[in-house]
Amino acid sequence: MFNVDLLINALTTLLVTLDPPGLAPIFLSLTVGLSRQERFQVATRGSMIAFFILAAFALFGDGILGLLGISIGAFRIAGGLLLFWISFEMIFEKRQERKEKTGEVAVTKDHLHNIAVFPLALPLIAGPGAISATILLGSSFPSVIDRVQLLVVIAASMALLFLALVIAERVDRFLGVTGRAILTRLLGVILAALAVQFVVDGVRSAFLA
């Protein structure tokens, strides 16, 4: 059965965590000097690698937690707190500054070789926040059919992110500094609310079950 509300919640959580508008200007800074075709190739490869990383955690994340003896309730609490910290950084513009520093280090060390893998796929797209959100969402999609739906949601999120990277120049020019700051803060507030909900669900699961 399709739970539309659950699917929308999953898509919203992933999109807010991935933050396509915030990643667009970072992508531009990482690919300075590259042609439009080369940027397209970097965006394609980075998005595909990130998708497979998140898909793996969506399918096997709860199994890994089980092997480590970590309950879903405990992980929901920890993951919710992590997502809340990310939302705090978004609201007060700390996350963008950290991502820019990560990008600058990568350009210096790797000279744009394998930039699609590091830092684009890891950690800018499939970072700790996105991985935590994916594992948390996986616990809400227990059956095989549910997991397939989650994979579709991840693919849709990655497609929208890829689109944002492809049109990064237009997005950055359209939003400008003010528009980007407003959008980032708005997304941060939404993510904070979702994070609190994860913590509440985790407390219920861990202590009230």
Side-chain angles (χ1 to χ4, degrees), residues 19-197:
D19 187 20
L23 190 58
I26 307 301
F27 176 73
L28 289 178
S29 68
L30 291 174
T31 55
V32 171
L34 298 184
S35 65
R36 180 173 297 180
Q37 182 179 1
E38 289 171 333
R39 280 179 173 167
F40 182 84
Q41 293 174 352
V42 170
T44 301
R45 187 180 179 197
S47 299
M48 290 183 63
I49 292 172
F51 167 76
F52 285 116
I53 292 172
L54 295 181
F57 278 99
L59 294 174
F60 308 113
D62 51 356
I64 296 174
L65 293 180
L67 290 175
L68 296 174
I70 302 173
S71 69
I72 291 296
F75 192 84
R76 278 180 178 271
I77 296 172
L81 292 175
L82 175 60
L83 293 180
F84 188 83
W85 175 253
I86 291 175
S87 69
F88 178 86
E89 289 185 324
M90 292 174 67
I91 294 172
F92 293 98
E93 290 191 328
K94 299 295 183 181
R95 194 183 189 207
Q96 191 78 0
E97 179 181 343
R98 175 165 50 82
K99 282 188 173 184
E100 288 173 355
K101 289 182 179 178
T102 303
E104 290 171 2
V105 170
V107 172
T108 302
K109 290 185 176 180
D110 296 341
H111 305 287
L112 296 176
H113 295 305
N114 300 318
I115 199 171
V117 179
F118 178 84
L120 186 57
L122 276 170
L124 293 182
I125 300 178
I131 291 174
S132 299
T134 301
I135 297 178
L136 290 171
L137 291 171
S139 65
S140 301
F141 293 81
S143 69
V144 175
I145 296 179
D146 290 338
R147 290 297 168 92
V148 172
Q149 294 178 37
L150 180 56
L151 291 180
V152 172
V153 170
I154 294 174
S157 302
M158 209 55 61
L160 292 173
L161 175 65
F162 169 75
L163 179 62
L165 297 183
V166 170
I167 61 173
E169 290 185 64
R170 296 179 182 178
V171 171
D172 191 52
R173 190 163 52 247
F174 174 76
L175 290 177
V177 177
T178 302
R180 195 163 57 245
I182 294 173
L183 183 59
T184 298
R185 284 177 168 82
L186 178 61
L187 293 175
V189 172
I190 295 174
L191 183 59
L194 291 170
V196 170
Q197 187 61 54

Side-chain angles (χ1 to χ4, degrees), residues 191-205:
L191 183 59
L194 291 170
V196 170
Q197 187 61 54
F198 277 132
V199 173
V200 171
D201 293 342
V203 170
R204 287 175 180 170
S205 176

